[in-house]
Amino acid sequence: KQKSMEITCEEREILVSSNNADIKSAENRVTEAEEAFNKYWKLQGPKNKDNQQLAVDNAEHKYKQAETEYKKYWDTVNHTVYSNEKEESDAKAKLLALKKAMQTAQVEFKNSQTDLKMFKRYTHPNTISSLKNKLEEAKLNLKKTKIRTASSLVQKDNQIYNQKTRIKKNKRDLKKHE
């Protein structure tokens, strides 16, 4: 019984060490989740929003520039009298190319506006929500780990107490029989 008691005491020491490692691991997950949330909230989120806004501004600038070029050239083509058909067809071809470039820039501008709206309405809030959930989950896991480790330690302590009680009883019985 005493040998069993010694083994149980050693098991308790191992359990304490293992419990400390589990708690430290859970605390590290909480720290990592907090850092990820703060990093996104303070740095990545605003940076992504600024990048989206910059893309919209650049696309708008390109669209307005293409529109201005098209309108200027359109005025030029409509107010010019061409001496031959080749010059006129070349001018109209260039006008068509400028129109296509303007339409492409307009589509890119609208797409960048849509991307910004999607980021503001969905991507950004969903990312923040996800990171908050991970943080809360890590905190709950830490709490659960602390409770579980404390419970397992209490169980091991009870097991040791019961073995000590049995040893005492066996010693009394031995003295009694002697």
Side-chain angles (χ1 to χ4, degrees), residues 163-174:
Q163 286 183 342
K164 283 181 181 180
T165 306
R166 281 190 215 117
I167 290 172
K168 285 179 186 177
K169 182 184 178 292
N170 286 348
K171 283 182 181 180
R172 273 191 313 231
D173 288 348
L174 181 62

Side-chain angles (χ1 to χ4, degrees), residues 21-169:
D22 289 348
I23 289 171
K24 186 66 178 169
S25 178
E27 287 172 345
N28 288 343
R29 284 191 293 277
V30 169
T31 302
E32 289 170 3
E34 283 176 341
E35 288 173 354
F37 175 77
N38 288 333
K39 180 180 173 185
Y40 186 81
W41 179 256
K42 293 177 183 175
L43 301 172
Q44 283 181 329
K47 178 184 172 188
N48 291 347
K49 182 180 176 188
D50 291 345
N51 287 342
Q52 292 285 337
Q53 187 62 53
L54 183 62
V56 169
D57 293 343
N58 288 341
E60 182 180 24
H61 177 71
K62 285 180 183 178
Y63 169 61
K64 290 192 186 283
Q65 200 172 24
E67 185 180 38
T68 302
E69 282 183 43
Y70 172 75
K71 286 180 180 179
K72 276 184 185 178
Y73 199 72
W74 186 83
D75 283 343
T76 303
V77 168
N78 284 332
H79 293 97
T80 303
V81 177
Y82 294 100
S83 58
N84 63 32
E85 284 186 30
K86 171 124 175 66
E87 286 180 4
E88 186 177 358
S89 66
D90 288 346
K92 287 186 179 181
K94 184 176 178 182
L95 183 65
L96 184 62
L98 287 173
K99 185 176 182 178
K100 286 182 180 180
M102 179 186 71
Q103 289 171 338
T104 301
Q106 183 181 25
V107 167
E108 288 175 3
F109 174 53
K110 287 181 180 180
N111 287 342
S112 65
Q113 285 179 318
T114 303
D115 290 345
L116 179 62
K117 284 179 187 176
M118 285 176 30
F119 176 78
K120 285 181 176 179
R121 289 184 187 162
Y122 304 106
T123 307
H124 185 65
N126 288 348
T127 304
I128 287 176
S129 177
S130 173
L131 290 170
K132 274 184 183 178
N133 289 341
K134 286 180 182 177
L135 177 58
E136 290 304 314
E137 184 179 316
K139 286 179 179 178
L140 289 173
N141 187 41
L142 174 61
K143 190 175 182 179
K144 181 179 88 173
T145 301
K146 285 181 177 181
I147 291 170
R148 180 185 50 78
T149 57
S151 173
S152 65
L153 194 58
V154 166
Q155 289 174 354
K156 191 56 78 174
D157 287 342
N158 284 341
Q159 189 178 3
I160 290 171
Y161 174 77
N162 288 338
Q163 286 183 342
K164 283 181 181 180
T165 306
R166 281 190 215 117
I167 290 172
K168 285 179 186 177
K169 182 184 178 292

